[in-house]
Amino acid sequence: MTNILIFTIFIAIILGIKSPEPITHLATAQQYPDPEIIKKNPAKLDEATKSIYSRFNSISVLFHEDSMDDLRFCMKNITAEWNEAFDFSGDTRFLSNCIQKTNGNILKRLCTAADIKFYATVLSEAEKQGFKITNYIKGNKNCNLKSWVSGCEPGWACSAAKDVEVDLKNKDEIPFRTTDCQPCCEGFFCPTGLTCMIPCPSGSYCPLARLNPRTNMCDPYRYQPPPGVANHTCGGADVWAAVVNSREVFCPAGFFCPSSVEKYSCQSGHYCRLGSTYQTQCLQLASCGKEAPNQNITAYGLITCGGLTLILLIFYNCTGQVISTREKKKEKSREAAARSAKELAQERWRSAKEGAKKKAVGIQTSLSRTFSRKKPPLSDTSKDPIPSSKDQNNLTMMIHDIEDDPESHDGFNVEIGDKNLKGTKPKKLHTRSQIFQYAYGEIEKEKAMQENADLTFSGVISMATDTSIRIRPRMEVSFKDLTLTLKGKKKHLLRCVSGSIYPGHVSAVMGPSGAGKTTFLSALTGKASGCTVNGSILINGRDESMNSYKKIIGFVPQDDIVHGDLTVEENLWFSAKCRLPANLSRAERVLVVERVIESLGLQHVRNSLVGTVEKRGISGGQRKRVNVGLEMVMEPSLLILDEPTSGLDSSSSQLLLKALRREALEAVNVCMVVHQPSYSLFRMFDDLILLAKGGLVAYLGPVKKVEEYFSNIGIDVPERVNPPDHYIDILEGMVKSSVNYKELPVKWMHHNGYPIPTDMKDPSGQDSVGGSSSSTARGSADQSFAGELWEEFKLFVQMKNDNFSSYFTRRKDLSHRVTPGVLKQYRYFLGRVAKQRIREARLQAVDYLLLLIAGISLGTLAKVSDENFGAVGYTYTIIAFSLLSKIAAMRSFTLDKLQFWRERASGMSCFAYFFSKDTIDQFNTVIKPAVYLCTFYYFNPPRSPITDNYIILLCLLYCVSGFAYALAIYLEAGSAQLWSVLLPVVLTLIATQDDEKGTYLHFIKKFCYPSWALEAFVLANAERYRAVWLLTRCAAIAKRGYDLRDWKFCLIRLMVAGLAFRILALFLLVAFQKK
């Protein structure tokens, strides 16, 4: 294959040169002046030169279809590049000189197609053995073991006999040339073993060689004259191949060669690369000495770095200022809204109070309303639509009661009775704000009735009943024989738990360690993964899934999972915007957030960052309250808290519990796990769920009756001992009592008449829990290791299947709350991520600094070599840039993975979260390639333009960042970092391996993103190597299996891979939940 390729290249180069203008005829032997005529008449020399040039310049018509299409893999515009390399029309002096030197006999010395085919074979064999060409001289008609004329030596050529007709386009037979052997003409090269000449391309320098007496070498070439042969001097150039093996033919760096026989020093202020035909002027700020091989543009790199730094600083400061100004405006608007709301509430209260005092009787008579502490029977109101005089002042009495006891927790029943209204259900107003709003609404409706005299009485009643009070849905949760068994282990985590938790109540779940308190809460909220759930959980008396009410259920985890790089208020506001009803006005959201901040005592730290482990923020107790506030601002109907008071002092715990009691007054069902509360804190709970070890219930009922129950079974609380501490000590077995602690769950079942499982009874019929532990502990002791492994695998598959089915199974939303959609949540997430990135500016600066250092190091040490078109430097670039970019991109999803799991469980959109992160990260995708190139490119400038390098790095960064997303989402942080370091190195090594087609390594290489990036870098650089570099370019590209037309395709593959990795990362984000 290599042999055919090289032959095709040489045929196209030497004989396939297409003329810039169409030639209608071919020069024939008869049109060429006779050599004797040229000898006698030198004026005929120019005519001969033009004829010869026309001769080998017009043969391209014959070879175009055969060879040109085979070279499109390494040349985009073949005709233009051939003309650039072998168009000698501007200076044919080397031809004239050669005609004079050969006495006009040049045509008989030029190589034919058959000669070039033979040379291609020799060159191919020499390439395989490191280009030791002298060891690979094949015999031919002119040069063999029997006949070895002087023209067979390197740099020499011979002429054909006068009677031999030389056909340059003959591909089959080498003409017989053994006469008049002379040194090769300047501007030509004469290969070893051939007795003909081939013209040197543009960018080469092919002078006659001179013998170096010290080394006995023909400088500047690598051959020696044959020893012992008289009258054999050094000839001309002997080989043109890849630059590694024929550098002496290339015009030296620091010089330029307008033709193949001229060489000039590069002047100061200019630079000349290897193989230059002209000197290039240096940029204004670049430094170029005399004979400079390249320009030093480090100054431009420093300017670019400084400009980027200035732009980033301006962007950071301006963005920070914009955010600060916006936050100040928001704060002022929130203060104004809160102030307006307070003033409006006060005004309404005053209006309601005055109007009630003046017109209570009129309102009562005209609208037939009754306000009472107790709910009157519906039959009474229906029978007597006109209230008695005794009830006429109920509204006034109600307002006086509110004034006397504004903090009263009791609610007011509001009933509307009329003969035209049947089946009207009473409405209960719980909070002071609701009563104020209702009273004010009644006065406004009375005014409307007076203004609209045409309204009928039934219309007035309808208007009166249309109150605008927003009441949260009630959630009463009942559970019966709730049992949780660990899959594959036959171990009970909860067992036979029955009872209810009610709206408006604060329930405490207590018990010793390992009693299943957190498991109980997880079972209530439908989060018990990896377990088999038996029994029933009813919501408002109906058997429905908890996931159907996800939007109105708040779950506060045990750990304080809060965004540490956001302020207290920002955390609360984000949760409120994403989880409150979408149709809620901004003023109402302000009131909700302000109420939570005030009730949790967070006013003085509202603008403080929460803080992280590395960066100090608010205190631990305040962080715990923020953790609770994230669920309170979404106005839940069921609020579950896992140890919210752990780590808090007594005063902070009381403050938190008071806030939760205020939530309970809004008909919220509050259930929380607590450890060893103080007596005052314990008395603030309404109900107690006391669990024993093994997940069994020891008590479930009102707090007021717990001491009475335990006293009845013989357990009394000693003096000066906190009751909950005493009960937990008994359940732990640390304190002895008249009742064995293992029998307490059975006694509770007896007390409530629940059936007792058979394994909790001993053989004699007595109740015991001894069998429970033995039954749960009894497993497959005799099972083999392979069987255990198989069971573990089946359990793993089953758990994953449950996770998939639980997420992708759509359940009907019964919460009747419409939260913001994906697009609106995307906007909220976008603002939050932008703030986080700006506050991580120091971390971003470290990333940019590492890229600068990597660029300086690689730009200084890994030079972009002309021999391999910079492949080595680009290989190191791909490794370093991929590694640094991956580590930085992984932070997007590793730092707040716990926060995402919590937000996802609450119903927030995975798509909004993912795409907001990816959108903000595109800023780094645009900036980081420029940061790296401002050092790497300017310290070691390749021939490809900086724009091409920037585009390739941008596509590479887009690809590896998507890969990093997938690693960060699926793996733990440590494992993800390890893989992000290992994979770029391994994949890049695979991409740089020389392999044969059909091997598994070649197959893997096709799907390695470093191979695509390296191919794009090499092709972008190789395209700028022209003229004398054509053979080097085509050979190198063919060896690597590249195609110059695939540059855009490489970029497309990188972008498509980045998109595919992002789709995979999104799938992993959606499908794989927290273990």
Side-chain angles (χ1 to χ4, degrees):
M1 179 65 186
T2 307
N3 188 1
I4 297 173
L5 173 66
I6 295 176
F7 171 65
T8 304
I9 292 171
F10 270 100
I11 289 295
I13 290 176
I14 305 305
L15 303 175
I17 306 172
K18 191 173 181 180
S19 176
E21 297 179 1
I23 297 194
T24 57
H25 63 279
L26 296 178
T28 61
Q30 289 74 16
Q31 293 171 323
Y32 176 69
D34 188 84
E36 297 296 331
I37 297 176
I38 295 174
K39 258 189 199 178
K40 297 177 181 179
N41 189 2
K44 294 287 185 178
L45 180 61
D46 290 340
E47 182 183 349
T49 302
K50 292 178 181 179
S51 176
I52 293 172
Y53 176 73
S54 176
R55 168 72 67 90
F56 66 74
N57 194 40
S58 62
I59 299 180
S60 62
V61 178
L62 302 174
F63 285 90
H64 185 270
E65 294 181 358
D66 295 337
S67 59
M68 289 298 181
D69 290 338
D70 295 334
L71 297 177
R72 294 192 183 278
F73 76 95
C74 62
M75 300 180 198
K76 288 184 177 179
N77 190 338
I78 297 175
T79 302
E81 295 205 40
W82 287 159
N83 289 337
E84 182 182 352
F86 294 98
D87 184 9
F88 308 122
S89 58
D91 187 359
T92 57
R93 286 178 294 176
F94 78 99
L95 279 176
S96 301
N97 295 336
C98 189
I99 291 173
Q100 288 181 330
K101 181 180 178 181
T102 60
N103 296 321
N105 201 18
I106 187 174
L107 279 179
K108 296 183 180 293
R109 296 176 181 270
L110 291 177
C111 290
T112 65
D115 292 308
I116 294 174
K117 182 178 180 180
F118 176 80
Y119 176 65
T121 305
V122 173
L123 197 64
S124 176
E125 294 292 336
E127 182 185 7
K128 294 178 181 179
Q129 299 297 327
F131 270 89
K132 298 176 182 178
I133 297 178
T134 54
N135 298 332
Y136 290 89
I137 300 174
K138 290 188 177 182
N140 55 65
K141 182 186 296 186
N142 300 314
C143 303
N144 50 62
L145 293 177
K146 294 182 179 180
S147 173
W148 188 267
V149 296
S150 299
C152 297
E153 296 292 337
W156 277 61
C158 299
S159 174
K162 291 182 179 181
D163 57 344
V164 176
E165 184 69 24
V166 177
D167 185 7
L168 295 181
K169 57 188 178 182
N170 190 338
K171 300 179 184 179
D172 301 322
E173 187 177 0
I174 297 176
F176 193 76
R177 298 190 196 89
T178 56
T179 62
D180 192 17
C181 296
Q182 296 180 12
C184 197
C185 294
E186 286 186 308
F188 292 83
F189 70 96
C190 301
T192 305
L194 287 175
T195 58
C196 59
M197 301 186 302
I198 302 174
C200 293
S202 298
S204 62
Y205 181 55
C206 302
L208 289 176
R210 293 183 180 181
L211 183 64
N212 188 331
R214 294 183 180 179
T215 60
N216 198 33
M217 298 289 292
C218 294
D219 289 343
Y221 309 113
R222 302 179 185 178
Y223 64 87
Q224 292 178 320
V229 179
N231 299 324
H232 191 97
T233 61
C234 291
D238 65 322
V239 64
W240 174 51
V243 66
V244 178
N245 310 294
S246 61
R247 180 180 287 270
E248 60 275 4
V249 176
F250 287 69
C251 188
F255 297 84
F256 67 99
C257 304
S259 69
S260 57
V261 295
E262 295 176 298
K263 183 178 74 171
Y264 301 98
S265 297
C266 213
Q267 301 299 318
S268 180
H270 298 78
Y271 69 96
C272 301
R273 296 179 183 267
L274 182 67
S276 297
T277 57
Y278 58 89
Q279 56 183 355
T280 306
Q281 187 173 1
C282 295
L283 298 175
Q284 189 172 2
L285 299 179
S287 59
C288 298
K290 189 176 181 180
E291 299 182 359
N294 205 345
Q295 59 178 338
N296 186 352
I297 55 176
T298 308
Y300 285 93
L302 297 176
I303 292 173
T304 306
C305 291
L308 281 174
T309 304
L310 181 62
I311 291 172
L312 291 174
L313 287 175
I314 293 174
F315 177 81
Y316 172 74
N317 290 328
C318 291
T319 309
Q321 187 66 29
V322 168
I323 291 178
S324 300
T325 305
R326 188 177 178 184
E327 289 300 322
K328 289 180 181 178
K329 288 183 179 180
K330 284 184 178 180
E331 186 177 356
K332 289 181 180 179
S333 66
R334 287 194 291 267
E335 291 176 355
R339 187 167 56 252
S340 175
K342 290 179 181 178
E343 293 174 356
L344 181 61
Q346 292 174 358
E347 181 181 353
R348 288 183 175 183
W349 172 241
R350 287 194 299 268
S351 300
K353 185 170 62 175
E354 294 173 0
K357 288 179 180 178
K358 293 179 181 179
K359 302 181 180 181
V361 177
I363 295 174
Q364 198 75 353
T365 303
S366 59
L367 299 179
S368 302
R369 290 181 177 80
T370 303
F371 294 82
S372 64
R373 288 286 183 174
K374 290 186 177 181
K375 174 182 174 182
L378 289 176
S379 59
D380 295 343
T381 57
S382 61
K383 289 181 181 179
D384 189 11
I386 302 176
S388 63
S389 59
K390 185 177 181 180
D391 299 326
Q392 289 178 353
N393 295 325
N394 280 345
L395 178 60
T396 307
M397 291 172 60
M398 179 199 76
I399 296 175
H400 283 304
D401 289 338
I402 298 173
E403 288 180 333
D404 295 338
D405 188 10
E407 300 299 330
S408 174
H409 299 321
D410 294 332
F412 290 84
N413 289 318
V414 181
E415 283 195 0
I416 303 172
D418 189 80
K419 63 182 180 180
N420 297 326
L421 297 178
K422 294 183 180 180
T424 305
K425 295 183 179 181
K427 297 184 179 181
K428 187 161 186 173
L429 307 182
H430 288 276
T431 63
R432 182 179 178 181
S433 61
Q434 289 182 355
I435 296 169
F436 292 164
Q437 187 174 0
Y438 184 81
Y440 181 76
E442 296 306 318
I443 302 227
E444 292 296 323
K445 287 165 188 173
E446 183 197 6
K447 291 180 181 179
M449 183 187 67
Q450 293 176 356
E451 292 175 0
N452 298 275
D454 296 335
L455 286 175
T456 62
F457 186 72
S458 60
V460 174
I461 294 298
S462 300
M463 184 187 297
T465 58
D466 183 22
T467 59
S468 58
I469 301 173
R470 206 162 36 87
I471 301 176
R472 304 188 197 182
R474 293 168 174 259
M475 285 190 66
E476 178 182 335
V477 182
S478 303
F479 36 91
K480 184 177 181 181
D481 291 332
L482 184 60
T483 302
L484 263 72
T485 307
L486 197 61
K487 290 182 179 179
K489 300 293 184 181
K490 298 181 181 180
K491 179 180 179 182
H492 296 302
L493 302 180
L494 279 181
R495 195 168 192 195
C496 302
V497 180
S498 300
S500 300
I501 53 176
Y502 303 97
H505 287 216
V506 181
S507 304
V509 181
M510 299 176 61
S513 298
K517 301 182 292 297
T518 303
T519 305
F520 171 70
L521 297 185
S522 300
L524 287 185
T525 54
K527 299 177 184 291
S529 60
C531 299
T532 301
V533 182
N534 296 319
S536 60
I537 300 178
L538 305 179
I539 302 173
N540 296 329
R542 295 187 295 270
D543 187 8
E544 293 167 344
S545 172
M546 275 289 180
N547 289 326
S548 300
Y549 295 89
K550 182 167 57 175
K551 293 181 179 179
I552 56 174
I553 297 176
F555 182 84
V556 180
Q558 183 176 353
D559 300 322
D560 301 331
I561 303 175
V562 187
H563 289 279
D565 45 8
L566 296 177
T567 64
V568 171
E569 189 173 6
E570 288 169 351
N571 273 289
L572 297 178
W573 258 102
F574 182 80
S575 181
K577 287 189 293 187
C578 290
R579 301 175 66 184
L580 284 173
N583 58 357
L584 203 63
S585 66
R586 178 174 176 80
E588 290 177 299
R589 290 180 186 173
V590 169
L591 292 177
V592 171
V593 176
E594 294 298 322
R595 176 179 62 82
V596 172
I597 291 177
E598 185 176 357
S599 64
L600 293 175
L602 298 171
Q603 301 93 327
H604 59 290
V605 294
R606 63 188 304 159
N607 294 319
S608 301
L609 290 176
V610 173
T612 59
V613 177
E614 297 84 6
K615 188 176 181 181
R616 180 67 178 172
I618 60 178
S619 67
Q622 293 164 345
R623 185 184 179 94
K624 179 74 71 175
R625 281 178 271 162
V626 174
N627 189 33
V628 176
L630 291 178
E631 304 301 323
M632 291 175 60
V633 293
M634 53 85 65
E635 294 192 335
S637 295
L638 174 63
L639 183 58
I640 305 294
L641 304 97
D642 191 3
E643 301 185 21
T645 59
S646 298
L648 299 182
D649 56 17
S650 179
S651 60
S652 298
S653 299
Q654 287 194 5
L655 177 64
L656 178 60
L657 197 53
K658 286 181 180 178
L660 295 176
R661 286 205 61 83
R662 292 193 191 99
E663 287 293 303
L665 292 176
E666 299 284 343
V668 179
N669 193 340
V670 182
C671 184
M672 57 189 292
V673 173
V674 290
H675 276 298
Q676 296 181 327
S678 63
Y679 185 73
S680 59
L681 199 68
F682 178 69
R683 298 296 296 178
M684 294 177 71
F685 291 104
D686 296 309
D687 299 316
L688 173 64
I689 302 173
L690 192 60
L691 297 177
K693 287 187 176 181
L696 296 164
V697 178
Y699 177 81
L700 197 157
V703 170
K704 297 178 181 179
K705 297 183 179 180
V706 62
E707 295 185 46
E708 178 184 351
Y709 167 75
F710 279 104
S711 179
N712 290 337
I713 63 174
I715 300 176
D716 295 319
V717 180
E719 295 183 1
R720 299 183 180 180
V721 175
N722 190 12
D725 292 344
H726 182 67
Y727 299 144
I728 291 176
D729 289 342
I730 290 177
L731 292 173
E732 285 277 11
M734 299 174 60
V735 176
K736 293 183 179 180
S737 63
S738 58
V739 181
N740 188 348
Y741 72 93
K742 294 183 179 180
E743 298 177 359
L744 291 177
V746 179
K747 289 189 175 293
W748 174 253
M749 293 179 185
H750 272 301
H751 177 75
N752 291 276
Y754 297 147
I756 301 173
T758 55
D759 61 338
M760 296 177 65
K761 297 180 180 180
D762 58 16
S764 62
Q766 299 294 325
D767 300 327
S768 173
V769 293
S772 174
S773 60
S774 62
S775 63
T776 57
R778 190 179 301 120
S780 54
D782 299 331
Q783 194 174 16
S784 64
F785 174 76
E788 291 180 0
L789 190 63
W790 174 246
E791 291 296 329
E792 289 288 340
F793 176 74
K794 288 197 299 183
L795 177 61
F796 174 79
V797 173
Q798 186 178 1
M799 290 177 61
K800 289 299 179 185
N801 185 41
D802 292 343
N803 290 339
F804 278 108
S805 60
S806 64
Y807 185 81
F808 290 104
T809 301
R810 290 189 173 274
R811 293 181 174 87
K812 184 179 180 181
D813 183 18
L814 301 176
S815 63
H816 305 294
R817 174 179 290 190
V818 180
T819 55
V822 176
L823 292 179
K824 189 168 286 187
Q825 286 192 39
Y826 169 75
R827 191 181 71 180
Y828 297 152
F829 273 105
L830 203 64
R832 186 182 76 176
V833 177
K835 287 180 185 177
Q836 292 173 322
R837 291 293 183 271
I838 290 172
R839 287 168 183 163
E840 294 173 357
R842 185 173 297 179
L843 200 57
Q844 298 287 335
V846 172
D847 291 341
Y848 296 151
L849 180 61
L850 290 175
L851 285 173
L852 290 174
I853 294 173
I856 293 173
S857 302
L858 295 180
T860 305
L861 301 177
K863 294 293 185 182
V864 177
S865 174
D866 290 327
E867 287 81 0
N868 51 29
F869 304 122
V872 176
Y874 286 133
T875 301
Y876 294 141
T877 289
I878 292 171
I879 293 175
F881 192 77
S882 299
L883 192 150
L884 294 176
S885 300
K886 276 185 180 179
I887 293 177
M890 282 195 306
R891 289 200 304 267
S892 297
F893 291 94
T894 54
L895 295 180
D896 59 353
K897 188 179 289 187
L898 293 176
Q899 288 85 341
F900 163 72
W901 283 337
R902 177 178 182 177
E903 291 169 352
R904 175 190 172 178
S906 66
M908 293 190 193
S909 172
C910 297
F911 297 95
Y913 170 81
F914 180 85
F915 287 115
S916 64
K917 293 268 189 179
D918 187 43
T919 302
I920 296 299
D921 282 350
Q922 298 313 312
F923 176 80
N924 282 331
T925 305
V926 174
I927 295 295
K928 284 186 175 181
V931 172
Y932 178 80
L933 287 176
C934 74
T935 53
F936 174 79
Y937 187 88
Y938 291 107
F939 275 81
N940 187 17
R943 298 200 181 192
S944 56
I946 191 172
T947 52
D948 287 357
N949 287 265
Y950 174 81
I951 292 172
I952 296 170
L953 283 180
L954 187 143
C955 296
L956 176 62
L957 179 54
Y958 184 78
C959 177
V960 300
S961 59
F963 198 5
Y965 292 166
L967 290 176
I969 291 171
Y970 185 69
L971 301 176
E972 298 295 332
S975 300
Q977 290 179 358
L978 178 62
W979 280 104
S980 68
V981 173
L982 185 63
L983 282 176
V985 178
V986 174
L987 294 178
T988 306
L989 291 176
I990 293 175
T992 55
Q993 293 298 312
D994 295 331
D995 56 287
E996 297 181 359
K997 290 185 178 180
T999 61
Y1000 73 93
L1001 195 62
H1002 180 76
F1003 179 78
I1004 296 174
K1005 186 177 177 179
K1006 283 185 176 181
F1007 297 96
C1008 290
Y1009 72 86
S1011 65
W1012 305 333
L1014 182 60
E1015 181 177 356
F1017 275 124
V1018 171
L1019 293 180
N1021 206 24
E1023 189 179 357
R1024 271 69 187 178
Y1025 288 80
R1026 312 175 74 86
V1028 71
W1029 293 95
L1030 289 181
L1031 188 57
T1032 305
R1033 181 213 291 180
C1034 290
I1037 291 178
K1039 184 178 180 180
R1040 291 179 176 271
Y1042 295 165
D1043 192 323
L1044 207 61
R1045 296 167 293 183
D1046 289 345
W1047 185 74
K1048 292 183 180 178
F1049 182 56
C1050 292
L1051 302 183
I1052 293 173
R1053 280 187 288 182
L1054 287 172
M1055 296 298 289
V1056 170
L1059 182 61
F1061 286 139
R1062 279 165 171 77
I1063 294 174
L1064 174 63
L1066 182 59
F1067 172 76
L1068 296 174
L1069 188 72
V1070 172
F1072 287 85
Q1073 301 180 5
K1074 178 183 176 183
K1075 294 181 181 180

